[in-house]
Amino acid sequence: MELTGKIIAVMPANSGVSARTGNSWMSQEYVIEVPGQYPHKCLFRIFGEDRIKQFNIQMGEDLTVSFDIDAHEYNGRWFNEIRAYNVSRGTAPVAAPGVAPEAAPFPPQQAAPFPPAQESAGEGSTDDLPF
């Protein structure tokens, strides 16, 4: 999925050491505002110090963010996570290492025009409904 908008908040980076593997980790969250009559905001996360540095997202930038949505359960409650895997500025995508850009699942479709209106079969009929 993708959203295009302006970065309106950059949260402080979080880091730690995995209790399971002993490896260090880092993540950072950002808020993007999608313009429109009723603007929408979305909080998304980038995981990995290398990606955070590579994307180098700054406050006020206009970006297209590619992301996945997943949910997880904790203590009987469910939480959504929106994790970004690609960021584009203008037309040049900044791809994360080892992540292939997502191909469009379907080619763009051309809008088919409506079929032409048919003439009424009955001469005295005032009903112009097609059914």
Side-chain angles (χ1 to χ4, degrees), residues 16-31:
V17 176
S18 171
R20 186 172 49 97
T21 65
N23 296 332
S24 61
W25 57 269
M26 180 182 271
S27 71
Q28 191 164 10
E29 295 178 328
Y30 306 86
V31 178

Side-chain angles (χ1 to χ4, degrees), residues 49-90:
E49 185 175 4
D50 56 337
R51 287 185 181 174
I52 293 168
K53 288 180 179 178
Q54 179 185 11
F55 295 150
N56 191 26
I57 297 173
Q58 302 296 316
M59 180 76 135
E61 280 188 293
D62 289 318
L63 303 173
T64 298
V65 178
S66 301
F67 59 91
D68 289 325
I69 299 175
D70 195 17
H72 63 276
E73 185 266 339
Y74 179 75
N75 287 340
R77 293 189 59 197
W78 284 88
F79 300 90
N80 288 321
E81 182 175 3
I82 301 172
R83 189 177 289 189
Y85 60 86
N86 195 7
V87 174
S88 301
R89 290 175 174 85

